[in-house]
């Protein structure tokens, strides 16, 4: 049972006037006191009767009279109470007669006031008590009492505060709130709609303040930031939230290296003291290099196992499928080396790896043992000539008991496969006790020189923006816009931490003509929806660029949380439900009437189809 | 014409590589330099090539080589440029041959780079250029360049930053983001609805984080704050916004005086340096006293003209209508004294006052001249006996040429009328040159001891919450809850500044049983909608209370802005329109299909009716 409790000595008057509904326990203090020295931390007891938090009392407080507020964690024989608050636990003794105190200190009660009784809780507030996430979300107000949630949310607040100090106080950024009731943007298929009182007219909840922050630059507010609430309706997606938060930044007269220095300084300044210092500048890698070496645009650079192109080793091979691979257009042979894989991984692990490659990429992958005891069992290794074997060992720095995973195919496809396998193997190795990714290490990386456009999935002859249509082309590639736009690189940059994208931004187009050409001619968008932005660029828009950091993801990595839901006070389930309040909920038709909308109830067959595509309600 | 410009000396390389699309003007510096001493302000030039802002250059910078970025404010004969940024203006000379410089300093160009050309603007960026608000909102990105908007938004950012320092760094508050996709609350008629992908289910945008902040207290996050975006759909209301911002605060184990000290300290700490210091503690007044003395729950205490009950003076009067008034139940005679009203106000002013009283309150008000030259013209004054005249002069401290406004009627109605007239008279006096309300004075006031319930407008036998159903009753009045609930005072408090309510809060109910009794028995609400909150109170909720400050209104008063739209970067018009982007906007039916909603287009007769109730589109 948990009761919020106040142990009071100094506030007789107060405790008497509230006392009508409370129990009181009397006693006196037993020891003499020395006041502890002032610390620099915030004053947690201002404005209230409390003198100390439960967790801070030490032998230096001996004899001091204190007022504590907290929840009863344990009660033993009505003599001992353990009182808990966000700061820790402390033992309280309700004096019966003279006793031998245990522990460094304890508190002898003079007055105790029961502030609120408590029913049997659905789960106890103890870290070792395991509970399902659904139960935790249903009783979020209890889950928040856990040490881990208290730590996560308090650290988040502190880190964001340090970021604000850095941006506002040190570098003159202006915190500006931008609207969340906006209008649909071109291609904004994932925007929630909000009905207005005008028939047929809707606001939308924007996916980011992108347009507004660019307009602020036109407006001469040349250093903007905002801890911005953003919205994206992605239906049911694990580890995504319909509303999320980004540290949103934009600057005028800046180039890519300026934004990068800013962000490096920001993270270094705001990084928690109990973690390793952030070393700046962060390394940088082109998109092409990231793909070739790690098979992804968000490499986890905490460990090696890089992808190596071994095509040249096999130019003159006699092995049939390798020969075949190299004769195909853009055919390559690539491999990664699993350190001590021959020792750590089991036969079933290799079976899993081969199956994974077939299932997800429709592609073959071969484990090859080139050094150590098992190479005689490797069917391919037998056919590799000694000269090639030595060249591979040299090229891939293969050690005793290492194993390589080899695949053939088109460059991008082969890299993507090996990139995924690299992460799967890291999981397998760590499950077998080989630690590759030190949780105390934070490995930042800039990925740059992305393509400006990608071929559209529905029709590869058409182009779409790789990021968004406001991204400026790379200065060296501008001439290609009019001849080979698919080859143009952009001034977009991503910030990657331990294999997760935690931010992205770009230098923007500030020339109205160029912006119009890209929107209308290359992307074939309806420019009318963006006429205000094009007009603004024509009114003396300065060169500008910016970035947005995904705060939820960043905090998840900093705290080592299992999910972004663990760094958000009241998250939605992966189906977008608030399991505590049961949002979203039905609304009576009369409440929709002022908004001139009505529900189109799906027919039975549609409903059946839709439920097939969705997990059941129980799993939400 | 306005061009963003960069004057560059140090960055030859940079200016060359960008130079392809720019003009360049060459020259050299003419004077020797002394570097100015470091200041403590933020570094506005970090991460970019700029060395100084336009406004900061003084003779101490003479001879220094600088890089400036800005917009061309004037261009004279292609020799002088005046360059503008958020910090000010500076004159730049494009050297032709030797010239005589004017002004304290000027800048001789070595390199100038045109960064973007500019069309003819719809209005010039000069404070004296008058433009309609509709035009300003349509071209908000230009309006933001004005001195006043730059000042307002930068001050807002700074003030909020100081508030955060006070709350987070000094007092251990935790900044926690709460969801904005929530569910309808009881009585939440003004909540925007957001369609979800589940047929018939909607999120709503909450009017405040009230429920979440109380749940955070239950969750042991005992000092919460948030600069919270809130939503309220009030249709067309002048000087209201569909989305607005509040400084939202909640604490555990606190009482009313604790919250008040916190807010006094917060405002004192964050108050701008260029304004008069905030003196604390703020004075406090009960709701009953505010009504009796100022006729309102948000008195402007910068000036006197208090309402005086003069019933006793006329207990034995022979004047018919006064006699009549006092014989009625709750009949009173009340007056305010207009200082020097007989001198400052004209006959038409008094006509306006009498008409105002009749039009808005269906009530008579009489100007009475008791002292000075005009008292012979006052019809009522003639009938007032000398003894009563002297008593009135003493009671109301009437000076030469003062005039009193007298009314009769029921206490609350008479007070409300005189409260309104007090403000109308202040406007009239100030229009005639008598300054009553010093714009440099900030007069804070706590209003306390509000009633907990009010009779429902539709059915006065039923009760509704005066503020919200979570407000705790006044400890002295708890027993009345079960006998005469309409007499219970609450632990609600309002913060008033210069006659505007800028904040309100309360100590909350933390006992589940009491909360259930008030919701179900007294307010007859459907408690099912709040079952999660009632359950949470039952799980050891600590005593708690909080407050919310309306940031937009506060900033409006601090900056002396004419409207809250002048302290918001991208406000909506009073009809809720974004005049720049044209939000809200029509959405094609296929984009509504995933949300299972369709538009109910009003019939022609409904549409005609609705347009009668609305101002025309031109005025939006």
């Amino acid at each position: 049972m948990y009761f919020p409790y106040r142990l009071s000595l100094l506030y007789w008057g107060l405790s008497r006037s509230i006392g009508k509904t409370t129990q009181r326990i009397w006693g006196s203090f037993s020891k003499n006191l020395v006041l502890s020295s002032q610390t620099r931390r915030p004053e947690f007891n201002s404005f209230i009767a409390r003198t100390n938090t439960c967790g801070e009392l030490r032998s230096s407080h001996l004899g001091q009279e204190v007022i504590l507020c907290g929840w009863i964690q344990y009660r033993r024989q009505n003599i001992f109470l353990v009182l808990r608050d966000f700061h820790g636990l402390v033992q309280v003794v309700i004096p019966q007669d003279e006793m031998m105190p245990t522990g460094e200190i304890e508190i002898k009660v003079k007055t105790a006031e029961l502030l609120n009784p408590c029913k049997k809780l659905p789960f106890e507030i103890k870290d070792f008590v395991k509970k399902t996430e659904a139960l935790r979300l249903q009783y979020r107000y209890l889950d928040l009492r856990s040490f881990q949630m208290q730590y996560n949310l308090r650290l988040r607040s502190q880190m964001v505060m340090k970021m604000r100090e850095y941006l506002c106080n040190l570098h003159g950024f202006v915190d500006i709130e931008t609207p969340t009731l906006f209008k649909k943007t071109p291609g904004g298929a994932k925007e929630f709609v909000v009905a207005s009182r005008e028939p047929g007219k809707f606001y939308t909840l924007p996916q980011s303040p992108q347009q507004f922050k660019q307009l602020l630059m036109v407006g001469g507010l040349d250093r903007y930031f905002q801890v911005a609430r953003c919205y994206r309706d992605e239906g049911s997606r694990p580890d995504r939230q319909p509303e999320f938060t980004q540290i949103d930044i934009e600057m005028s007269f800046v180039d890519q290296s300026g934004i990068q220095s800013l962000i490096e300084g920001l993270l270094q300044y705001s990084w928690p003291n109990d973690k390793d210092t952030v070393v700046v500048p962060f390394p940088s890698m082109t998109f092409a290099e990231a793909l070739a070496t790690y098979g992804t645009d968000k490499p986890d650079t905490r460990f090696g196992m890089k992808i190596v192109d071994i095509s040249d080793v096999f130019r003159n091979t006699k092995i049939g499928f390798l020969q075949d691979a190299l004769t195909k257009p853009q055919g390559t042979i690539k491999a990664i080396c699993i350190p001590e894989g021959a020792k750590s991984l089991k036969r079933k692990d290799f079976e899993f790896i081969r199956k994974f490659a077939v299932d997800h990429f429709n592609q073959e992958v071969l484990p090859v043992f080139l050094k150590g005891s098992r190479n005689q069992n490797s069917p391919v290794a037998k056919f590799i000539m000694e000269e090639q074997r030595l060249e591979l060992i040299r090229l891939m720095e293969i050690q005793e008991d290492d194993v390589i995973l080899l695949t053939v195919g088109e460059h991008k496809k082969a890299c993507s496969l090996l990139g995924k396998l690299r992460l799967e193997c890291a999981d397998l190795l760590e499950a077998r006790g080989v630690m590759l990714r030190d949780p105390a290490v934070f490995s930042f990386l800039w990925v740059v020189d992305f393509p400006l456009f990608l071929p559209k999935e529905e029709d590869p002859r058409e182009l779409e923006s790789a990021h968004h249509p406001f991204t400026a082309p790379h200065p060296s590639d501008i001439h290609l816009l009019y001849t080979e736009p698919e080859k143009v690189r952009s001034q977009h940059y991503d910030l990657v931490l331990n294999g997760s994208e935690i931010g992205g931004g770009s230098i923007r187009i500030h020339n109205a003509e160029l912006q119009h050409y890209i929107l209308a001619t290359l992307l074939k968008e309806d420019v009318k929806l963006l006429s205000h932005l094009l007009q603004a660029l024509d009114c003396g828009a300065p060169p500008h660029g910016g970035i947005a950091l995904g705060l939820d993801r960043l905090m998840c990595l900093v705290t080592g949380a299992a999910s972004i839901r663990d760094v958000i006070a009241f998250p939605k389930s992966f189906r977008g439900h608030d399991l505590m309040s049961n949002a979203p909920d039905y609304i009576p038709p009369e409440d929709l009437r002022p908004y001139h909308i009505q529900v189109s109830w799906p027919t039975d067959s549609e409903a059946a189809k839709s439920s097939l595509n969705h997990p059941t309600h129980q799993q939400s």
Side-chain angles (χ1 to χ4, degrees), chain A:
Chain A
M1 286 196 298
Y2 299 86
F3 306 84
Y5 237 82
R6 177 162 63 204
L7 292 170
S8 156
L9 175 76
L10 301 177
Y11 280 71
W12 288 118
L14 185 63
S15 91
R16 275 214 194 94
S17 73
I18 304 181
K20 270 164 193 144
T21 58
T22 64
Q23 306 173 3
R24 256 179 271 141
I25 304 161
W26 304 75
S28 69
F29 277 80
S30 60
K31 295 196 180 137
N32 295 316
L33 72 114
V34 185
L35 199 75
S36 73
S37 65
Q38 291 297 316
T39 57
R40 285 254 183 148
R41 51 158 223 184
E43 180 47 78
F44 286 114
N45 307 308
S46 43
F47 315 116
I48 59 177
R50 181 168 72 195
T51 62
N52 295 80
T53 57
C54 295
E56 69 170 324
L57 295 175
R58 294 291 179 276
S59 53
S60 62
H61 296 84
L62 273 184
Q64 198 167 332
E65 294 186 350
V66 298
I67 303 177
L68 304 177
C69 300
W71 285 260
I72 299 177
Q73 181 80 352
Y74 305 98
R75 191 169 60 178
R76 294 191 192 111
Q77 304 137 18
N78 283 324
I79 300 174
F80 298 101
L81 294 178
V82 174
L83 206 63
R84 187 198 72 229
D85 66 12
F86 68 93
H87 210 266
L89 298 161
V90 69
Q91 176 156 297
V92 173
V93 180
I94 301 162
Q96 316 284 315
D97 43 41
E98 281 309 302
M99 275 179 304
M100 198 61 183
T102 55
E104 200 190 358
I105 60 117
E106 61 182 11
I107 291 159
K108 211 163 180 180
V109 163
K110 192 157 180 183
T111 318
E113 183 183 348
L114 179 63
L115 297 167
N116 209 358
C118 174
K119 288 196 312 191
K120 171 119 183 70
L121 297 182
F123 52 83
E124 287 192 79
I125 314 301
K126 287 166 189 168
D127 288 337
F128 60 82
V129 175
K130 291 274 170 267
K131 45 252 164 198
T132 65
E133 193 178 20
L135 193 70
R136 288 177 54 205
L137 290 178
Q138 188 186 346
Y139 297 100
R140 190 58 159 185
Y141 45 86
L142 296 178
D143 187 45
L144 290 175
R145 292 183 189 164
S146 69
F147 169 78
Q148 197 57 54
M149 285 305 302
Q150 291 272 330
Y151 175 81
N152 292 355
L153 294 179
R154 287 170 189 271
L155 185 68
R156 178 176 176 138
S157 169
Q158 285 161 17
M159 225 177 130
V160 171
M161 187 64 199
K162 295 286 280 181
M163 289 184 182
R164 292 177 180 281
E165 287 172 13
Y166 177 86
L167 291 166
C168 266
N169 296 352
L170 301 187
H171 294 289
F173 280 75
V174 186
D175 180 6
I176 299 175
E177 299 168 68
T178 58
T180 57
L181 295 173
F182 193 42
K183 67 181 274 190
K184 224 170 173 63
T185 47
K190 292 171 175 175
E191 288 169 354
F192 285 104
V193 295
V194 182
S196 83
R197 284 178 188 254
E198 288 175 75
K201 287 193 174 181
F202 293 83
Y203 299 104
T204 62
L205 301 175
Q207 293 185 46
S208 88
Q210 184 64 33
Q211 287 187 47
F212 289 109
K213 66 181 182 170
Q214 292 195 241
L215 292 168
L216 288 173
M217 296 304 112
V218 181
L221 286 149
D222 65 347
R223 295 179 163 224
Y224 146 89
F225 88 101
Q226 181 182 197
V227 181
R229 192 70 59 92
C230 303
Y231 301 85
R232 197 176 295 154
D233 176 22
E234 302 190 290
S236 304
R237 290 275 298 268
D239 228 26
R240 292 283 178 106
Q241 289 285 313
E243 51 184 318
F244 57 97
T245 304
Q246 62 189 38
I247 309 288
D248 198 51
I249 292 173
E250 197 80 6
M251 286 175 84
S252 294
F253 311 113
V254 75
D255 61 14
Q256 183 164 324
S257 69
I259 297 284
Q260 289 176 341
S261 303
L262 166 76
I263 293 300
E264 287 160 358
L266 175 77
L267 288 167
Q268 194 176 45
Y269 185 87
S270 62
W271 209 247
N273 293 331
D274 62 346
K275 314 276 177 208
D276 280 358
T277 328
V278 170
V279 179
V280 302
F282 301 154
S284 185
M285 191 181 284
T286 66
F287 168 73
E289 190 184 347
L291 181 68
T293 317
Y294 295 96
T296 173
D297 58 358
K298 38 180 193 281
D300 188 339
T301 47
R302 282 176 298 177
F303 67 106
M305 292 172 62
K306 294 179 187 175
I307 302 168
V308 182
D309 190 310
I310 52 174
S311 305
D312 285 348
V313 177
F314 291 102
R315 286 283 168 225
N316 303 313
T317 187
K318 296 287 178 311
I319 304 175
F321 78 98
L322 297 180
Q323 252 182 343
D324 282 2
L326 290 176
T327 53
K328 281 187 187 149
Q330 300 186 298
T332 63
I333 308 171
K334 295 183 190 284
I336 57 174
C337 171
I338 309 172
E340 300 194 41
K343 250 184 8 199
S344 310
L345 298 187
K346 305 188 172 161
R347 177 173 295 270
K348 69 170 183 182
D349 295 332
F350 289 108
E351 274 159 22
F352 168 82
I353 289 166
R354 293 186 72 156
K355 187 165 184 311
F356 182 95
V358 171
D359 290 354
H360 291 80
F361 289 81
N362 192 24
Q363 182 121 350
E364 286 291 338
V365 66
L366 287 175
V368 184
F369 303 86
L370 290 170
K371 236 179 149 178
S373 50
R374 273 168 71 178
N375 64 3
Q376 53 274 44
N377 299 327
S378 174
V380 179
K382 286 185 215 162
F383 293 99
I384 295 176
M385 288 185 298
E386 185 61 12
E387 189 189 347
Q388 290 163 342
R389 200 178 71 91
L390 292 176
E391 177 59 10
L392 279 179
I393 288 172
R394 190 194 61 76
L395 200 64
M396 300 190 65
E397 298 173 359
I398 295 167
Q399 307 290 316
E400 192 74 15
D401 287 327
D402 288 358
V403 55
I404 69 170
L405 294 182
L406 181 149
T407 196
V408 301
E410 181 269 321
H411 172 72
K412 196 179 158 205
K413 199 176 171 191
C415 289
S416 299
L417 166 63
L418 290 180
K420 285 277 185 208
L421 287 181
R422 177 176 173 268
L423 297 176
E424 292 293 332
C425 289
D427 286 347
L428 288 170
L429 287 172
E430 291 187 345
R432 307 270 174 254
V434 184
M435 197 47 66
L436 285 180
R437 296 166 295 193
D438 183 347
V441 166
F442 293 96
S443 190
F444 290 97
L445 176 75
W446 291 109
V447 179
V448 300
D449 290 356
F450 283 84
L452 186 56
F453 304 108
L454 295 175
K456 265 192 189 167
E457 245 176 63
E458 324 72 280
D459 180 359
R461 290 162 305 176
E462 295 199 348
L463 294 178
E464 63 186 7
S465 295
H467 294 92
H468 60 57
F470 315 115
T471 311
H474 198 289
S476 329
D477 295 354
I478 285 181
H479 60 287
L480 294 172
L481 270 178
Y482 306 93
T483 52
E484 298 170 286
E486 68 283 358
K487 289 197 178 161
V488 175
R489 289 167 302 162
S490 72
Q491 293 194 64
H492 179 95
Y493 29 85
D494 267 354
L495 181 58
V496 174
L497 171 57
N498 294 356
S500 288
E501 183 200 321
I502 57 161
S506 59
I507 302 303
R508 326 294 183 185
I509 297 166
H510 65 275
N511 180 286
E513 218 173 297
L514 177 60
Q515 183 70 74
H516 190 278
Y517 173 74
I518 286 180
L519 281 169
T521 309
L522 295 183
L523 297 173
K524 302 184 183 4
E525 291 281 5
D526 180 3
V527 290
K528 261 179 264 151
L529 283 171
L530 286 171
S531 58
H532 54 285
L533 188 75
L534 287 165
Q535 264 184 317
L537 293 183
D538 239 345
C539 292
H544 60 285
I547 195 166
L549 301 183
L551 182 62
D552 306 305
R553 173 72 46 212
L554 174 63
M555 288 314 305
C556 188
L557 292 167
V558 170
T559 60
S563 144
I564 60 167
R565 292 182 293 280
D566 288 346
V567 296
I568 297 172
F570 298 101
K572 304 281 193 296
S573 75
F574 81 93
R575 286 197 66 204
H577 288 184
D578 179 338
L579 300 186
M580 181 183 65
S581 75
N582 193 32
D585 207 352
Y586 295 107
I587 285 190
E590 62 268 25
D591 287 358
L592 298 176
R593 212 163 290 143
Y595 299 107
H596 308 282
I597 55 170
Q598 52 182 304
V599 176
S600 327
W601 294 100
T603 60
D604 287 353
S605 64
E606 281 171 356
K609 195 176 139 203
S610 142
S611 74
L612 280 178
N613 293 329
H614 275 120
T616 62
H617 277 263
Q618 283 72 17
Q619 288 178 298
S620 74

